[in-house]
Amino acid sequence: DTEVTQTPKHLVMGMTNKKSLKCEQHMGHRAMYWYKQKAKKPPELMFVYSYEKLSINESVPSRFSPECPNSSLLNLHLHALQPEDSALYLCASSPLGSGYNEQFFGPGTRLTVL
Amino acid sequence: SQQGEEDPQALSIQEGENATMNCSYKTSINNLQWYRQNSGRGLVHLILIRSNEREKHSGRLRVTLDTSKKSSSLLITASRAADTASYFCATVGATNKLIFGTGTLLAVQP
């Protein structure tokens, strides 16, 4: 299994809702990432988990809360989002806990905040 | 924090032609990677070139790296309609983070 899966593919939520994005990989990778991508822009790093511990938080607002329950799973919990948070949220993984290898990306969750 | 600028922003060519995209970056790197993204989907890794390498090939792809000029280029030879996508360079430096450039939108006309 050489892919990263993300669910759901699409999510529409109100500003008072709580929702979660899920990411899964079964390649034995020890680093997992969340990126945010706005339309016609490059992906921007949000969080990095290395060996199931949060190693990088790019000053992301607390309404985004990451969780890594085990080495295969990565969640992003969403609460009280703003319309400007609407974007494509990409999950990625890489073999080692560093940026020295290629990253494998999931197809993304397209989030719309009303 | 955006590291790379890509040029051109958009490129339209005919099938069979070669496509060249350029990437310039600002700080020293450990490696530079190129990714492809089909419309609104996940990114696919194409090639990684380390700072001590000057050129790398993978199938129809050729990547060059000039660390003195802080620039890289991606050449796609004999392009196909299926190559239509956005192409991003991404650098890894001392922070170990992958930082993407602005991207080039390539359209290959059949």
Side-chain angles (χ1 to χ4, degrees), chain A residues 33 35 37 40-45 48 56 58 88 90 97-108 110, chain B residues 1-2 30-31 33 35 37 40-45 48 50 88 92-98 100-103:
Chain A
Y33 312 80
Y35 290 86
Q37 185 178 25
K40 299 187 188 303
K41 296 291 187 182
E44 292 183 344
L45 183 65
V48 180
I56 294 176
E58 290 286 274
L88 181 67
L90 294 161
S98 76
Y100 290 90
N101 302 101
E102 65 180 283
Q103 292 186 18
F104 293 74
F105 281 80
R110 187 161 298 282
Chain B
S1 55
Q2 186 179 289
N30 290 302
N31 69 66
Q33 303 178 32
Y35 287 81
Q37 184 176 35
R41 297 186 186 174
L43 286 83
V44 174
H45 181 266
L48 181 154
R50 301 195 188 280
F88 293 96
V92 177
T95 61
N96 284 352
K97 293 185 282 191
L98 193 65
F100 287 87
T102 51

Side-chain angles (χ1 to χ4, degrees), chain B residues 50-94:
Chain B
R50 301 195 188 280
S51 59
N52 60 354
E53 296 175 310
R54 292 296 168 257
E55 188 170 314
K56 210 161 182 181
H57 297 254
S58 177
R60 293 184 296 113
L61 307 180
R62 172 179 170 253
V63 167
T64 62
L65 178 65
D66 186 335
T67 52
S68 67
K69 294 182 180 177
K70 292 188 168 57
S71 68
S72 174
S73 68
L74 170 67
L75 168 67
I76 304 174
T77 60
S79 62
R80 306 166 182 168
D83 294 328
T84 293
S86 291
Y87 291 81
F88 293 96
C89 68
T91 55
V92 177

Side-chain angles (χ1 to χ4, degrees), chain A:
Chain A
D1 189 351
T2 58
E3 62 173 6
V4 175
T5 59
Q6 289 187 244
T7 54
K9 288 185 179 178
H10 301 274
L11 179 61
V12 179
M13 59 187 291
M15 289 191 285
T16 57
N17 292 157
K18 284 186 181 181
K19 297 285 185 184
S20 296
L21 309 185
K22 182 178 174 180
C23 174
E24 196 165 0
Q25 58 88 14
H26 295 286
M27 295 177 279
H29 290 175
R30 303 314 302 270
M32 295 185 77
Y33 312 80
W34 281 114
Y35 290 86
K36 174 183 177 179
Q37 185 178 25
K38 302 283 275 185
K40 299 187 188 303
K41 296 291 187 182
E44 292 183 344
L45 183 65
M46 298 174 72
F47 302 105
V48 180
Y49 273 83
S50 181
Y51 296 91
E52 298 155 56
K53 293 191 188 309
L54 183 65
S55 60
I56 294 176
N57 177 339
E58 290 286 274
S59 302
V60 179
S62 59
R63 57 185 185 268
F64 294 90
S65 175
E67 179 196 18
C68 189
N70 60 57
S71 60
S72 300
L73 280 175
L74 186 66
N75 298 320
L76 187 62
H77 302 297
L78 314 172
H79 173 56
L81 294 194
Q82 304 295 311
E84 59 264 30
D85 297 322
S86 298
L88 181 67
Y89 287 84
L90 294 161
C91 174
S93 69
S94 66
L96 299 173
S98 76
Y100 290 90
N101 302 101
E102 65 180 283
Q103 292 186 18
F104 293 74
F105 281 80
T109 293
R110 187 161 298 282
L111 174 68
T112 302
V113 182
L114 301 176

